């Protein structure tokens, strides 16, 4: 979701940084890189330890997630250009799922806010599986909910750990690199296709889904 459907990676970084700053610690790019792809419990534990303010992990997570919900309500989390068309056109040809590192509360709020929730047959937060990205758990759970073997799934990802997770699940990976947080070369190497924009992703997905339809005919 973050970086593929909506422009929000910078907001997570802003909130993590503000939380740390309020406790006298300076958050930087290395800390952000460490947290990208982590589940909410994982990054909350990391942030709690880094900030050293005596907060519980649950309190840290709630504080940051409250900030994300407020950002959504304030109009700061918009769908990326072409994301709506990518969702609706792909969903018209086959079942789609969301496999996200975002917590459940943020997933549901974002999809409902933008009126695209009904297109998804399943959504999975990495907080609901044993391990966050780059482990494949969230993608395997999404495929299971779709009732489709992971090896028959296409995954669209923008981040290093997301790309690694989808590849580890055995999916065909489509990369749409986030220019603000460019993925590592080794992560990109696992992608079958690297797109420059959402329209290119949409066309690739539709082509593959139509091929699959033809194979079944």
């Amino acid at each position: 979701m973050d970086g593929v459907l909506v422009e929000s990676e910078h907001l997570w970084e802003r909130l993590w940084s503000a939380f740390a700053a309020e406790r006298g610690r300076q958050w930087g790019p290395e800390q952000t890189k460490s947290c990208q792809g982590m589940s909410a419990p994982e990054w909350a534990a990391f942030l709690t330890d880094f900030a050293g303010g005596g907060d519980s992990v649950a309190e840290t997570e709630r504080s940051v997630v409250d900030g994300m919900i407020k950002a959504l309500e304030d109009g700061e989390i918009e769908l990326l250009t072409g994301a709506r068309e990518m969702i609706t056109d792909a969903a018209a040809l086959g079942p789609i799922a969301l496999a996200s590192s975002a917590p459940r509360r943020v997933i549901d709020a974002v999809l409902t806010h933008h009126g695209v929730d009904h297109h998804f047959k399943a959504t999975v937060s990495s907080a609901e599986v044993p391990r966050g990205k780059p482990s494949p758990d969230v993608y395997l759970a999404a495929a299971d909910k779709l009732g489709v073997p992971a090896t028959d799934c296409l995954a669209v990802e923008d981040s290093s750990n997301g790309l690694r997770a989808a590849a580890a699940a055995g999916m065909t990976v489509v990369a749409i690199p986030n220019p603000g947080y460019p993925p590592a070369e080794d992560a990109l190497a696992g992608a079958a296709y690297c797109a420059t924009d959402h329209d290119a992703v949409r066309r690739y997905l539709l082509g593959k889904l139509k091929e699959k339809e033809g194979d079944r005919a």
Side-chain angles (χ1 to χ4, degrees), residues 10-31:
H10 66 292
L11 297 174
W12 288 111
E13 183 175 40
R14 185 179 80 189
L15 290 162
W16 293 331
S17 179
F19 184 94
E22 287 167 4
R23 289 151 183 83
R25 296 298 307 277
Q26 184 173 352
W27 186 272
E30 283 305 309
Q31 284 73 40

Side-chain angles (χ1 to χ4, degrees), residues 71-111:
L72 177 66
E73 292 170 348
D74 290 346
E76 290 191 79
I77 305 178
E78 294 299 322
L79 286 176
L80 288 160
T81 302
R84 186 181 299 277
E85 294 78 8
M86 180 183 72
I87 293 167
T88 55
D89 289 359
L93 287 181
I96 65 170
L98 183 70
S100 178
S101 296
R104 168 58 54 191
R105 189 173 153 213
V106 175
I107 290 172
D108 292 346
V110 168
L111 296 186

Side-chain angles (χ1 to χ4, degrees), residues 42-65:
E42 289 168 341
W43 62 246
F46 181 97
L47 178 56
T48 300
D49 182 64
F50 179 85
D55 306 87
S56 71
V57 172
E59 288 168 341
T60 300
E61 180 181 338
R62 183 168 56 252
S63 174
V64 173
V65 171

